[in-house]
Amino acid sequence: MKDQKKAYLFGLGAVACWSTVATAFKLSLNHFSPPQLLLVATASSILVLLGLLARKGKLALLGTYLQARPGFYLLLGLLNPALYYLILFQAYDRLPAQQAQTLNYTWAITLTLLAVPFLGQKIRKQDWIAIVLGYLGAMVIATRGNLLSLDFDDPLGVALALISTLIWAGYWILNTRNQGDPVVALTLSFMLALPVIVLVTAVWSDFRLTAWQGWVGAIYVGLFEMGFAFVMWLMAMRYAENTARISNLIFIAPFASLLLLRLLVGEEIYTATLVGLVMIVAALLIQQIKGPVRASRPFAKGRKAE
């Protein structure tokens, strides 16, 4: 049953979660390494998702889905959470959170490009405008406004942030092949990825998780970035009478996130970040001009988005 008021409430709840995660990432990385943060966050998210499935009586579907398509769900898990968040956390570890977060917003533009070879979609005129405007905004952010000099504070950090958009877009293109329950699929892919994340932590980090601040931050990320926000966004889409109005709520998240980064992390917000963010948001709005339906992310950052 459609209920636009409920759709707004769930949508705003998801956006509120995504607005806080950039701050949570940065604060947590002061105490945990990227693999450690990913390990605890993924385990926390799995517990939440299992609880949600148990409440709905869908736990048995995990075995059914795994038996039907084990390789597919393993590949989903390797992309998200394993590879995507590992690279994204590395970017946050190297860059100011405002830069990593805003660069990550170009994932939707990356999706437009990848949809051509993988989904057979055509790029419209407004898409080309959005691509140029969006990546120009990313360059403004990455160079802090020194476009002509192309002087990057941390080229590797910038590269990691942009690579994460490739992985995230690829994940959602692959996810278009999933015809099952999205929460069951997400839970299963996270469970299959967990042993890989444990191995990555053992090889590239360690299990000395002694800082309580890191635990609090990582559990928060698992609950609100990977868990509740996803479910609330699905509920918002289910109740929405007008999905476009709900989708536009995600554009609140990056600006709210910058405010929290200033207040809680103490980051000075660069003018170039604001200019670049406005350019990227404008590009994303241009992409929403009425046209052919394209693959989209069930929950966008602002995270998710972040």
Side-chain angles (χ1 to χ4, degrees):
M1 183 164 62
K2 300 297 183 181
D3 187 329
Q4 193 69 16
K5 184 176 180 180
K6 284 186 177 180
Y8 276 125
L9 290 175
F10 280 115
L12 287 171
V15 168
C17 291
W18 293 325
S19 298
T20 63
V21 292
T23 297
F25 290 169
K26 200 63 178 179
L27 292 176
S28 301
L29 287 167
N30 290 331
H31 306 281
F32 280 0
S33 68
Q36 290 173 333
L37 175 55
L38 178 58
L39 174 63
V40 176
T42 302
S44 303
S45 181
I46 289 172
L47 293 177
V48 170
L49 293 170
L50 286 174
L52 291 171
L53 292 180
R55 183 179 177 184
K56 295 184 177 182
K58 294 184 177 181
L59 284 176
L61 290 177
L62 291 170
T64 303
Y65 282 28
L66 179 60
Q67 186 176 13
R69 306 177 73 183
F72 175 75
Y73 291 108
L74 176 60
L75 180 56
L76 282 180
L78 290 176
L79 290 176
N80 172 45
L83 191 57
Y84 170 68
Y85 280 107
L86 185 62
I87 290 177
L88 183 64
F89 290 162
Q90 291 283 357
Y92 269 89
D93 202 31
R94 300 183 67 94
L95 296 172
Q98 61 185 287
Q99 288 188 342
Q101 165 199 261
T102 313
L103 290 171
N104 186 248
Y105 261 89
T106 61
W107 75 268
I109 300 168
T110 305
L111 178 59
T112 300
L113 294 171
L114 292 183
V116 175
F118 291 107
L119 298 179
Q121 295 184 0
K122 294 182 179 180
I123 299 181
R124 305 164 299 166
K125 290 181 180 180
Q126 61 262 42
D127 289 328
W128 284 116
I129 296 172
I131 289 167
V132 172
L133 184 61
Y135 282 120
L136 186 59
M139 291 295 290
V140 169
I141 294 164
T143 62
R144 294 196 190 181
N146 297 319
L147 276 175
L148 296 180
S149 67
L150 293 180
D151 183 16
F152 300 97
D153 287 342
D154 190 325
L156 179 57
V158 171
L160 290 171
L162 293 175
I163 289 170
S164 74
T165 70
L166 283 170
I167 297 167
W168 192 245
Y171 170 76
W172 287 111
I173 286 176
L174 182 63
N175 209 52
T176 60
R177 300 174 182 269
N178 174 39
Q179 301 301 318
D181 184 292
V183 179
V184 176
L186 187 72
T187 307
L188 183 57
S189 62
F190 273 44
M191 292 176 67
L192 292 173
L194 186 59
V196 177
I197 296 169
V198 171
L199 179 61
V200 168
T201 305
V203 173
W204 286 328
S205 185
D206 56 60
F207 298 102
R208 293 195 295 270
L209 307 170
T210 57
W212 67 266
Q213 299 95 327
W215 278 96
V216 170
I219 291 172
Y220 183 92
V221 169
L223 295 182
F224 294 101
E225 156 75 354
M226 300 176 175
F228 291 133
F230 178 82
V231 176
M232 283 192 288
W233 192 254
L234 286 177
M235 294 298 292
M237 293 295 102
R238 181 176 301 172
Y239 280 115
E241 297 171 3
N242 186 318
T243 56
R245 292 177 184 173
I246 300 303
S247 297
N248 286 337
L249 292 175
I250 66 172
F251 297 116
I252 300 171
F255 297 99
S257 183
L258 288 181
L259 178 61
L260 290 175
L261 287 171
R262 181 71 184 93
L263 295 176
L264 300 180
V265 180
E267 281 194 9
E268 177 187 352
I269 306 302
Y270 311 132
T271 301
T273 299
L274 292 173
V275 172
L277 178 57
V278 168
M279 294 171 70
I280 291 170
V281 169
L284 298 177
L285 288 170
I286 289 170
Q287 280 191 314
Q288 292 194 14
I289 295 174
K290 188 175 180 179
V293 176
R294 62 182 63 251
S296 62
R297 176 183 175 188
F299 67 117
K301 289 196 196 178
R303 254 292 280 17
K304 357 251 223 122
E306 277 148 332

